Amino acid sequence: MNDVPEDRYYSKTHEWVLPVGENKAKVGITGYAVEELGDITYLEVRAVGSEVKAGERIGTVESNKATEDIYAPVSGKIIEINKEAGVVEEGSSEFSGELERISEDPYGEGWIVVLETFNMKEELKGLMDAHEYVEMLKKEQK
Amino acid sequence: MLRTPLFDLHSELGAHFTEFAGWEMPLRYRSSIKETLAVRNCCGLFDVSHMGRLTIGGPDSLKFLQLVATNDVDIEPGRSRYTLILNEDGGIKDDDVVFRIKEREFLMVINAGSREKIINWLTKVKEDRHFDVDLEDVTFKTVMIAVQGPRSTEFLSSLLNLPKIRRYRHKEVNYRDDRVLVSRTGYTGEDGYELIFHNADYAEEVFRKLANLGVEPSGLGARDILRLEAGMCLYGQDMNENTTPIEAQLEFVVRYDKDFIGKEALLRKKEEPPLYLRAGIRSRTRRSPRCGSKLFYEDEEVGWVTSGTFSPTVGVGIGMGYLKRGLSKPGTKIKALVSDRQIEVIVSEMPFYDTTIYGYRRRVQ
């Protein structure tokens, strides 16, 4: 919980978003989410080209324990998915089997998608910074 | 929350803990999937001290146990048997393993979540029917560890003077000045042993030594995957007081040729075929059915899932649940609804893995 990076923003549903350009952002799930899930066994997201609004389901992650939805922290169009980390497009039957990357490095190599954002600057105001996110986790664990 | 005497050792080994039936138990050390595969391919190590352990002795002990257990427990000392305990309506109160230690001395291993309920039930049966038996809960006086996997004999033999013990049999083995009950049983589908120590320090020593030898310390996460891969029920999840052994497909441990509590109700229920039967399902992909998922055949709702997860051994999602009678033919295509999205599954035989390659019946390599 102490290694929540300060360079990005967090949602209540445990996704992070890292701006990587004016209208471009990387999205992933937090270290806390990964801890709670256990071993991630499958992760699919909506197809490249799909447009999602902030708060909408962008994909689904499965572990040995549970199936959970992943929500878009900001609105945008999916322009890239992290196939090297084992992320697949919904409905496809491909699987590359490297999901350990997400468990082991959720804030780095284990990113999930890149979005071309629509209104990032405004939408980031509704998210938490690292400090606020850590505070929320502390409350949740009480 | 209750802790087993090995709690500090688990912390030292890096365990992540979870609450289970009032106990704070290791969920996983590193990865549940790696732990599962270690048990299937080599050897894993579990603290199962949370399981209830009762001794039943005295002149009426056999008569008493025959009345509460569905299976025949009039077995030779040194043998053990899987059995159910039913309520008066034929519903399952618990599933247990009964060990016959001596002619008039039995040990019963019961589910952690059922311990108090079963003790109360046994005490009630004893008192109502005036049985001359001594019941003692030895859960907190003993430590139980499980060593599971194809190489478990080899690893255990390096630590203690392990005699030959056949499956579903047990022997007392000396470890320092303790008499350890060593049983060739488990809840993984693999060959392996369960050890009951009186001395917690010795149990900790053996656990630590096995871990140092490379036996994989494994948590409840792996244990749940392993038992599901083997097609074994988890009490409270895959069956409960409202489930009969007929519906749960556990009639193979019901002996109708003797008297037991619940038999009359069960015989009445047998006159009408059950609506639902327990069955295994497997996904065509890594997506898993989940506990609570509804099952559909074409557009008709035909059942529900009670356990589901990803099987690292098979490489697909697996599960078990209750399906309308008549649909349980392996290969039948059905759909499971998981958080509003359908996944295609087929009815599958259990165990889910290839039993010529995995499990205690595997061909010796």
Side-chain angles (χ1 to χ4, degrees), chain A residues 74-121:
Chain A
V74 293
S75 308
K77 182 163 95 179
I78 299 173
I79 55 171
E80 205 184 332
I81 70 174
N82 192 358
K83 289 192 175 172
E84 278 83 53
V87 179
V88 297
E89 280 190 9
E90 251 176 34
S92 79
S93 53
E94 59 180 315
F95 174 72
S96 62
E98 293 285 326
L99 288 159
E100 292 88 355
R101 281 194 196 198
I102 296 171
S103 308
E104 284 162 12
D105 191 11
Y107 298 111
E109 295 285 301
W111 59 274
I112 295 171
V113 295
V114 176
L115 294 177
E116 184 185 291
T117 60
F118 301 147
N119 190 19
M120 180 156 62
K121 235 179 169 179

Side-chain angles (χ1 to χ4, degrees), chain B residues 5 53 136-143 196-200:
Chain B
R53 292 173 293 285
E136 194 192 353
D137 181 0
V138 296
T139 309
F140 300 98
K141 289 185 179 172
T142 54
V143 175
I196 300 175
F197 291 81
H198 299 92
N199 185 314

Side-chain angles (χ1 to χ4, degrees), chain B residues 2 4-5 23 48-55 107-112 115 119 136-144 196-197:
Chain B
L2 298 167
T4 82
W23 293 79
V48 291
S49 303
H50 62 304
M51 306 258 291
R53 292 173 293 285
L54 311 179
T55 56
L107 172 77
M108 194 188 243
V109 176
I110 62 187
N111 282 285
R115 190 172 49 92
I119 292 171
E136 194 192 353
D137 181 0
V138 296
T139 309
F140 300 98
K141 289 185 179 172
T142 54
V143 175
M144 185 167 174
I196 300 175
F197 291 81

